[in-house]
Amino acid sequence: LSSLCSSTPSSSVLSCQTITSIAFQFAAHSALLMLVTETSLCFIDPYDPSMIPDAHFYPNVLNSTTFLFYVVATINSFVFNYPGKPFMEDLSSNKFLLRSIQLFYIMVFACALQAFSPLNSFFQLTQYPVDANDTIVSNGCKTSFGLRISLRLIEKVGFPIWLSSLLILDIIFTWIVELAVTHLFVKYKR
C-alpha cells in the first residue's frame, strides 16, 4: 500500500457509535411504525376475521402497511449502516447489490401506491381505503395528535400517497440519524 486511510473501523461491534446509531434509528422506525399502526387500526373492524390471532391469514390494512413499513425499515438499516469505502467495496461499485436495493425500493413503492395489482396480490396485500370518511371504524380509532394529522392527510391525498410519504420519511429520518451520529463521533474522535 502506498498510503493508509486516516479513518479506522470501529474497534468493537458494540462501540458507542454503533449503539447510538442503532438506538436512534430504532426510535425513528418505532415512532413511524406506531403512527402507521394507530392509523391502520382506524380502517379495521375489530371483529374482522383477519384480526383473530393464530387464525388463517387474511390481508387487511394493518398487516399490509406493517409489512411494507418493515421491508423499508430493513432496507434502510442495511443501506445506511453499510460502511463502504475504505473498509468494504463501495455500494456504487457493487452494481449487483445496488440494483437489488433499487429494485426492492421500486417494488415496495409500487405496492404502497398500488401501481401494479398483480404484485400486491403476490404479496397478499389488501386494497387500501379509497375514501377515509367512509371506511373509518370508530371502535379501533384512538384520538391522538399524530392520528388526527394522519387522517386529515389521508382525506386530502389518499391512503397510498400517505403511506408512501411515511416510507419516504423513514428513509429521510434514518439517513439524518446516521449522518448526525457519524458526524458527532468523527468530530469527537479527533
Side-chain angles (χ1 to χ4, degrees):
L1 292 175
S2 59
S3 66
L4 293 176
C5 181
S6 60
S7 61
T8 58
S10 297
S11 58
S12 169
V13 176
L14 299 175
S15 69
C16 191
Q17 179 179 356
T18 305
I19 297 297
T20 305
S21 177
I22 289 171
F24 281 109
Q25 286 181 32
F26 177 76
H29 295 316
S30 296
L32 288 172
L33 181 62
M34 285 190 285
L35 182 62
V36 167
T37 302
E38 187 178 15
T39 306
S40 296
L41 282 172
C42 291
F43 296 94
I44 297 176
D45 181 6
Y47 302 108
D48 187 345
S50 66
M51 295 303 288
I52 299 172
D54 298 327
H56 185 354
F57 177 78
Y58 296 101
N60 61 32
V61 175
L62 178 62
N63 57 34
S64 295
T65 56
T66 304
F67 169 74
L68 292 175
F69 188 83
Y70 271 119
V71 170
V72 165
T74 303
I75 297 169
N76 291 343
S77 296
F78 176 79
V79 168
F80 293 114
N81 292 316
Y82 185 80
K85 285 185 178 177
F87 314 116
M88 297 175 72
E89 184 178 11
D90 195 25
L91 196 56
S92 60
S93 301
N94 190 341
K95 296 294 183 194
F96 182 74
L97 181 60
L98 181 63
R99 298 288 184 250
S100 299
I101 290 168
Q102 291 170 340
L103 180 65
F104 279 122
Y105 277 127
I106 289 168
M107 284 179 16
V108 168
F109 281 99
C111 287
L113 293 169
Q114 295 184 330
F116 189 60
S117 57
L119 188 61
N120 285 36
S121 297
F122 178 75
F123 287 116
Q124 295 183 357
L125 302 175
T126 190
Q127 288 288 330
Y128 297 127
V130 176
D131 187 10
N133 294 325
D134 293 339
T135 57
I136 294 177
V137 178
S138 60
N139 295 347
C141 225
K142 299 174 187 167
T143 56
S144 70
F145 179 71
L147 180 62
R148 286 193 300 267
I149 290 174
S150 285
L151 293 176
R152 284 190 189 131
L153 283 172
I154 291 170
E155 288 174 12
K156 299 251 188 245
V157 299
F159 198 91
I161 300 292
W162 170 81
L163 178 60
S164 298
S165 301
L166 283 183
L167 298 177
I168 291 170
L169 268 180
D170 188 64
I171 294 169
I172 292 169
F173 286 166
T174 308
W175 178 61
I176 289 172
V177 164
E178 190 57 32
L179 280 178
V181 169
T182 302
H183 179 72
L184 177 75
F185 280 93
V186 166
K187 184 178 178 182
Y188 286 113
K189 244 184 196 180
R190 293 179 193 174

